Amino acid sequence: MTDVRPVLVLQHAPHEGLGRISPALGDVPYRVRTVLDDPQPRLPGVDALSGVVVMGGPMDADDVAGHPGLAAERALLAAAVDADVPVLGVCLGHQLLALALGARLHRRAGLEIGFAPVRLVADDPVVGALAPGTGEGSATVLHWHSDTVDLPAGATLLASSDVTQVQAFRAGSAVGVQFHPELDAALLDLWLRTPDMVAGLDEHEVDAIRSDGARHLPALAGPAAAAFGAFAGAVRARG
């Protein structure tokens, strides 16, 4: 591809990589930036981008005092939605997207760590691909969060769980997912070998996540490829 605007990937921890998102983008160029602790990061304008992907991380999405770069991320996300630029927010990225659209963050309101189902409650080209059909159903995915967000005004709720009402939503060109459909076996193995990720988990909990990953991740490969392929299709359409 030539003269294609890149996708900007905002990363918050070295181990929070793209996983299954990367092959879906294929030949679409992307640039990875980490601006967490930069009080005045120089981010590109949305007119220079074909899409924005915001990954997870251990920090609170509203901790601008501790991580001033989060304010610039939120401003970029708001501008991207206004400009109809495709946006994908995962976990922390989902929370940052919600905050950028005026919703509230609730700290320590919904601890979920491990594989468990989410209920799909509305059809969507991205999230709906995780449970193909009529926009209803469930998918077993990896959860790793304790904060939750309210649904932004005007957004469509796409998925919920018993613990976390807003597991996924769409707002125009943007979709946020609180869970981790990007996980493949290699990325999960990296997480389980990263001390910051498993701090607070005992050996049995880590073993259970590893065992559940071996059982559930293969079945998610096709649906996740379709979901991220739909996002990549929106990116390519913008060009």
Side-chain angles (χ1 to χ4, degrees):
M1 299 176 70
T2 59
D3 300 324
V4 175
R5 290 175 283 193
V7 172
L8 176 66
V9 178
L10 294 171
Q11 191 169 347
H12 307 97
H15 53 273
E16 297 261 11
L18 286 170
R20 286 172 165 158
I21 301 170
S22 182
L25 290 174
D27 54 358
V28 176
Y30 62 84
R31 300 172 183 171
V32 179
R33 293 282 307 278
T34 302
V35 300
L36 268 176
D37 300 321
D38 187 343
Q40 293 183 315
R42 297 181 63 183
L43 291 172
V46 294
D47 58 341
L49 301 172
S50 64
V52 181
V53 177
V54 189
M55 300 306 300
M59 57 287 305
D60 295 314
D62 60 355
D63 185 13
V64 175
H67 303 287
L70 293 176
E73 292 191 33
R74 286 164 55 178
L76 179 69
L77 288 169
V81 174
D82 284 345
D84 204 31
V85 175
V87 172
L88 175 64
V90 178
C91 199
L92 175 65
H94 159 91
Q95 297 167 6
L96 289 167
L97 175 62
L99 290 176
L101 298 175
R104 291 180 57 196
L105 179 82
H106 302 279
R107 294 189 182 188
R108 318 300 176 257
L111 178 63
E112 292 180 287
I113 297 178
F115 283 87
V118 290
R119 297 184 301 275
L120 276 64
V121 298
D123 199 9
D124 183 79
V126 175
V127 175
L130 297 173
T134 62
E136 300 178 353
S138 67
T140 299
V141 293
L142 182 67
H143 305 263
W144 209 301
H145 73 102
S146 61
D147 295 351
T148 66
V149 292
D150 292 334
L151 184 68
T156 300
L157 180 67
L158 300 178
S160 294
S161 69
D162 291 342
V163 175
T164 303
Q165 180 184 8
V166 184
Q167 281 283 0
F169 70 87
R170 176 171 288 279
S173 61
V175 61
V177 291
Q178 181 62 72
F179 50 93
H180 290 279
E182 84 281 10
L183 258 288
D184 56 19
L187 192 53
L188 178 60
D189 180 65
L190 174 61
W191 283 21
L192 296 180
R193 290 186 289 105
T194 300
D196 288 347
M197 289 296 294
V198 298
L201 300 179
D202 63 33
E203 183 178 347
H204 296 294
E205 290 171 316
V206 172
D207 287 345
I209 294 171
R210 182 177 289 110
S211 175
D212 287 346
R215 183 162 67 254
H216 293 298
L217 287 178
L220 280 170
F228 297 131
F231 172 74
V235 166
R236 290 187 177 91
R238 176 171 168 81

